[in-house]
């Protein structure tokens, strides 16, 4: 790896997606397994369901409509088991609202400026999946901002406006244009794409291999 080059990982993700939470945990572990690689991780927005109202909707109603009650129970039991293997204690029974995540993605976008994205994303996953908080609620987003040491007063002012709503939606559109259909999707060095919550070992191998490629650092591909 040339010293001047930085390996970027753009993670296309939605904070209401449990597989994205698992994917983050595996990416964190991959970086431990590849200690010589110090990537810059950037979290990019996606919405699993953009039709959810701005104030969210009842969680059980959402699951019943999307999967059916029995199928949803089966799906989330499997996810819970996978999460436990990664040290994530999913508490799906605590979740009462399925949120519209546009405002959460705005917060994540703003957190990139102060290098607080990782902390914000991690806390939003915890709030939603283990504490059952409604991450569509502005007060919950402000709590996450404070805990990540963001300027909470500024965040509150911006959340009260439509600032960057269009920018977030355009990023989501770009993800669709790039062929992203499911999340998490890892875009490594702007050109290499891994779809799904890949095992930490596979992610670590990919980081090492890509950093050793002759083309590493070229400015082609999605920016």
């Amino acid at each position: 790896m040339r010293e001047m080059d930085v390996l970027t990982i753009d993670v296309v993700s939605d904070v209401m997606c449990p597989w994205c939470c698992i994917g983050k945990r595996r990416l964190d572990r991959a970086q431990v397994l590849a200690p010589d690689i110090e990537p810059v991780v950037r979290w990019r927005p996606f919405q699993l369901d953009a039709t959810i109202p701005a104030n969210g909707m009842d969680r059980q109603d959402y699951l019943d409509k999307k999967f059916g009650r029995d199928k949803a129970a089966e799906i989330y039991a499997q996810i819970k088991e996978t999460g436990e293997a990664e040290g994530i204690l999913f508490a799906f029974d605590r979740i009462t609202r399925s949120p519209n995540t546009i405002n959460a993605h705005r917060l994540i976008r703003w957190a990139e400026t102060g290098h607080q994205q990782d902390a914000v994303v991690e806390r939003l996953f915890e709030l939603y999946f283990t504490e059952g908080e409604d991450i569509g609620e502005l007060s919950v987003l402000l709590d996450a901002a404070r805990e990540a040491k963001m300027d909470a007063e500024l965040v509150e002012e911006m959340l009260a406006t439509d600032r960057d709503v269009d920018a977030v939606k355009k990023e989501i559109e770009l993800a669709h244009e790039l062929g992203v259909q499911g999340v998490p999707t890892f875009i490594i060095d702007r050109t290499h794409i891994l779809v799904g919550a890949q095992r930490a070992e596979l992610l670590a191998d990919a980081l090492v291999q890509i950093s050793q490629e002759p083309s590493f650092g070229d400015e082609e591909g999605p920016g």
Side-chain angles (χ1 to χ4, degrees):
M1 185 192 310
R2 297 191 299 273
E3 187 175 347
M4 69 181 70
D5 291 329
V6 176
L7 188 69
T8 59
I9 307 174
D10 290 289
V11 188
V12 185
S13 165
D14 193 359
V15 281
M16 68 173 288
C17 165
W19 284 109
C20 293
C21 182
I22 292 170
K24 183 182 187 304
R25 183 60 56 87
R26 290 175 173 176
L27 177 60
D28 289 344
R29 192 150 56 87
Q31 293 178 72
V32 174
L33 294 173
D36 294 333
I37 310 296
E38 296 183 5
V40 172
V41 179
R42 304 181 296 199
W43 292 87
R44 303 307 191 194
F46 195 86
Q47 282 195 290
L48 290 177
D49 191 340
T51 69
I52 294 176
N55 63 344
M57 63 183 295
D58 180 82
R59 171 75 168 174
Q60 194 60 62
D61 287 347
Y62 174 75
L63 294 179
D64 288 350
K65 290 175 182 176
K66 186 170 183 178
F67 301 111
R69 186 157 301 199
D70 291 343
K71 185 64 175 177
E74 178 184 337
I75 289 171
Y76 281 89
Q78 293 173 348
I79 294 172
K80 185 177 177 66
E81 183 178 343
T82 302
E84 287 175 354
E86 298 293 338
I88 303 169
L89 300 179
F90 284 119
F92 296 122
D93 57 319
R94 293 185 180 181
I95 301 173
T96 60
R97 302 288 293 175
S98 287
N100 183 301
T101 53
I102 282 290
N103 284 330
H105 286 306
R106 287 204 290 160
L107 177 63
I108 293 167
R109 179 185 180 88
W110 300 330
E112 184 176 4
T113 302
H115 306 288
Q116 296 138 319
Q117 264 197 337
D118 191 81
V120 168
V121 171
E122 181 71 24
R123 186 59 183 136
L124 289 174
F125 280 142
E126 289 175 352
L127 285 165
Y128 187 57
F129 288 117
T130 66
E131 299 176 29
E133 295 287 347
D134 181 358
I135 55 173
E137 282 284 343
L138 298 188
S139 61
V140 175
L141 296 177
L142 284 174
D143 285 344
R146 288 190 193 95
E147 291 179 41
K149 303 194 183 319
M150 294 179 69
D151 184 335
E153 289 187 7
L154 178 59
V155 169
E156 186 173 17
E157 289 176 7
M158 292 193 295
L159 283 173
T161 72
D162 290 332
R163 179 168 178 174
D164 287 336
V165 169
D166 288 342
V168 168
K169 289 181 177 180
K170 285 179 181 177
E171 273 205 76
I172 294 171
E173 289 175 8
L174 176 60
H176 285 291
E177 290 171 7
L178 292 174
V180 175
Q181 297 181 339
V183 287
T185 291
F186 302 91
I187 305 174
I188 305 174
D189 194 32
R190 303 182 180 179
T191 54
H192 299 72
I193 297 177
L194 294 175
V195 179
Q198 303 289 339
R199 292 182 300 106
E201 293 79 7
L202 188 150
L203 284 169
D205 287 346
L207 297 181
V208 172
Q209 291 176 18
I210 292 168
S211 71
Q212 294 173 346
E213 290 181 356
S215 60
F216 170 63
D218 288 353
E219 293 296 322
E220 298 179 0

